[in-house]
Amino acid sequence: MKHVKRVKRDRARRLLAFSLLAGLLTGCGIRATEVPTDFGPAPSRAHCSLTDPEVTTRTTRGVPVQVFLLCGSSLVSVDRAVRVPDGAADSARRVLVAQGLFDELAESPSVAEKEAGFTTDVRGGMKVSGPAPGDPDDTLRLSASPGDLTSYALAQLVCTFSDSAAAEGDGSVVLGGPAADRPRRYECTNEVRSRPGSAEPPSSEVPEN
């Protein structure tokens, strides 16, 4: 009989101690639990690399090129392709390549690219044409003024164009708008590639041809 009473007494003590502990935890803002809580995996971060076969198929439908997309806080190049008719003259080829590059930049990133963290700030609908009278031969005229683009979009265009057959291959590109304003030579620098939102491509006036 004494043994039974002692067991009941010990059990009551344990229940009282547990109740007090639960009350203390609740008062501290901590929820009492009997099992570990699984909050799931940590949020994924953009890794800016592509290994999906889908990406390869996008580079087999024309001339292989690279375009700069936004990933994290930087510009990162991805492989694409543009179609250029055989036998196109150099001046016409430059414009066709530039238009193709713009269209690729304006296209929504693929599923694999989105999963890797890629985005674009370039919006569709813009047309690219060749130089106006008096422009340098390598000028690319846009149907919207470069100054009207966001800093991200301008950085994407400048770095993509300057690294392609649309430019002279010296790390710069001559861009103008649809008006009579003089075009300017824009440069794609390391700072622009690493901080496209805050570092706009440096530019300078070009002399009349």
Side-chain angles (χ1 to χ4, degrees):
M1 190 69 176
K2 291 182 180 180
H3 175 71
V4 173
K5 289 182 178 179
R6 186 168 58 253
V7 170
K8 289 183 177 180
R9 221 174 18 248
D10 292 342
R11 183 179 301 171
R13 289 173 180 172
R14 285 197 298 271
L15 289 174
L16 178 60
F18 181 79
S19 299
L20 291 173
L21 178 60
L24 289 173
L25 291 175
T26 303
C28 295
I30 303 174
R31 181 180 178 182
T33 178
E34 295 181 359
V35 295
T37 302
D38 183 9
F39 291 100
S44 60
R45 295 184 178 180
H47 52 82
C48 304
S49 61
L50 297 168
T51 57
D52 197 292
E54 172 194 356
V55 180
T56 304
T57 63
R58 297 184 67 169
T59 66
T60 60
R61 301 172 183 173
V63 179
V65 295
Q66 288 188 324
V67 300
F68 282 88
L69 299 181
L70 299 168
C71 194
S73 59
S74 306
L75 292 180
V76 181
S77 62
V78 299
D79 294 328
R80 295 288 179 82
V82 297
R83 293 186 178 183
V84 179
D86 294 335
D90 288 344
S91 57
R93 182 183 180 86
R94 179 182 289 115
V95 174
L96 290 172
V97 169
Q99 184 67 63
L101 290 170
F102 174 84
D103 293 341
E104 289 294 329
L105 286 171
E107 185 175 344
S108 178
S110 67
V111 173
E113 289 168 344
K114 288 180 180 177
E115 290 178 349
F118 288 96
T119 62
T120 183
D121 212 48
V122 177
R123 299 296 175 258
M126 187 181 297
K127 298 299 180 183
V128 183
S129 59
D135 288 347
D137 294 338
D138 59 343
T139 300
L140 295 171
R141 288 273 181 178
L142 309 177
S143 58
S145 173
D148 292 338
L149 302 176
T150 67
S151 58
Y152 290 104
L154 182 59
Q156 286 184 258
L157 283 175
V158 169
C159 289
T160 297
F161 285 172
S162 64
D163 194 41
S164 72
E168 294 297 328
D170 61 351
S172 67
V173 61
V174 180
L175 296 178
D181 297 341
R182 293 298 304 154
R184 300 182 66 86
R185 183 174 294 277
Y186 294 84
E187 296 181 40
C188 177
T189 63
N190 290 333
E191 188 176 12
V192 172
R193 284 191 290 268
S194 61
R195 299 170 54 225
S198 56
E200 291 193 357
S203 66
S204 58
E205 294 185 357
V206 295
E208 191 169 347
N209 195 14

